[in-house]
Amino acid sequence: MDNSNGTAFLELKNVNKTFNLSYGEVTALEHVSLTINKRELVALVGPSGSGKTTLLNIIGSLDRPSKGEVILEGTRIDTLSEEELVHFRREKFSFIFQDAKPLRMLNVLENTLLPFNFFKPKNRNGNIRNEGIEIIKSLGLGHRLYHMPSQLSGGEIQRVAIARALITHPAMILADEPTANLDRDNRLFVIETFRKLSKEKDIAIVLSTHDLEIANRADRIVHLKDGVFLKDEAIACPPCKV
Amino acid sequence: MELIVLAIKDIFRRKGKSLYLLVAIVIPVAILSTILLTFDNADSSLSNLASKFGFTLIVQPKNVRVDRINQIGVNTEEYIPEGVVREIEKRVREIILNPKDRIITVVRFYKDEKVLAGKYEVSSVVAGVDFKSELEAKPSWTLTDGRWPTSDREAVLGGTYASSRKISLNDTVTINGSEFKVAGILQNYNSSEDYMVFAPFAEVQKLFDKTGFVSVINIQNVSLDKDKKLLQAAVEDINRNIPNITALSPQQFSTMKYTLLKKTLKFLLAIVVATVAVSIFSIFNIMTSVLYSRVKEIGLLKSVGASRSQLLTIFLSEYLTIGLIGGMIGYPLGLFMTYLLDSFLLKLGTGVRVNLLYVLVALLVGVFCSFAASSYPIYRLSRIKITESFRTQWEG
């Protein structure tokens, strides 16, 4: 199924994913086709084991499909070498994982700037550190700049992950259950931040969630069940539906 | 922030686990340093010993095995009848051909005995010596304090013996129930003499009911000194014709002792190699468990753009730094252990010296242990996929 309302940023064509486990072959995704546009906030929903995380990993080139194609801005990325993918991911993607806590030995600002320990930002004017501070402040953590992760709440930790995702100016953010384990206020803060970022910074954001209240604030909801694409639902007025 | 800084910050963040690893590295490095330094000390002690003998020929009881003589050949268990002395002198005189060549014979009687020195009884080596012939053979033998004994109830103490027990001139030491006044304190020569009590020869024989017996006979002769072949001929002649004794040249004596020490230290070195191997194995286990508990961190680093080589740099820097610190701590600890070993057990008396080569060896061993133990788990984990790192329950 395809839903192309704007400029196609990423395209999945007939993607299948199977895992060879000790007890046999497991199909995680079956014939999934999907288009994601720039400035779009897409929510992947479905019960546990429906293939949300697998789909997210394939979109983000963290995993390769067993069959099918993944095309990003005209380039087929599922056939790139691991080395090429590292460079590709640095430029295009940022990831937010449910379990990926900030590094405990670095403070909030250092964690935000962590990606630049591994590569130099391209075509960036201005001071990266100052930009990091601005991003952290915009997420309401201005008073926590030099605090260590152990001094932060769950909601604040997730905001650090968002700040770290934003600092590289990615074309797409992939967030796996970013609101799990957060209270309602923090969940809403995260989804509203994503909405704002996708529109203001031209970022495509794909998140997986169980939470329909969160999913209903996205531009689109992609429903999955047992690895099969069920429905691609466009939300006309996302905040109105809540 | 550089990758190395990231690695070092992590060491300090994981203080407990870093310390645990550090201890696992410090132990083999310290043991290895101790063995190497002791080996080195034994080597210089024996070199000193050979040059300090001042004798041409040494005769000792045949039953004295290499493993029964202590650090510089003090045999306190087996004795030779005194009558043998004249027989040895006679044979030496026949071999050297020139009857005018002077032969100086120095006999000593040694006994391990509890000596009341100062407040406490301490296990000591009591040497019965004829001070006159000793001084004739070794004119360099000097006292730092006092004078040579002039009566049967006077003694001279080795420098270290006196200072360690805080004994001064005119104090008394009680040997086997008999009191001796301390007439002099001997200069330290970095030999076992520094730890001995010297008393008149005949008195010591009597005290231990061994009149007519000696522990060692030392012969000094210029002709034998000059001609090694002649010396060897004398050694062989004495060994062939006089029963129950062993004649040795000082060189042979040193070699004999050196061989023993070398064998012992080689054995210890083998133990160290085994210890290092066991340590590497245990460090490997610790590292594996530590690293597997960091799988999510590896996934995070990869997800923010770390390449495999960058991950290897971070983790190897972290563990090699711990290895280097282990070497830096292990070496001084080894020095201290060498000092203790020398002071309380071996008494080689050469002191503990810093050896730059061994510092380097210690650092390299520390780094090697760390590298050998960590490289495989680091290599394996650097290959893990980001998706696997978050999916799997790796917590160690």
Side-chain angles (χ1 to χ4, degrees), chain B residues 16-29:
Chain B
K17 281 175 181 167
S18 300
L19 199 67
Y20 195 38
L21 274 174
L22 200 59
V23 170
I25 292 167
V26 163
I27 291 170
V29 172

Side-chain angles (χ1 to χ4, degrees), chain B residues 272-283:
Chain B
V272 169
V273 170
T275 311
V276 168
V278 170
S279 284
I280 288 175
F281 182 69
S282 57
I283 298 166

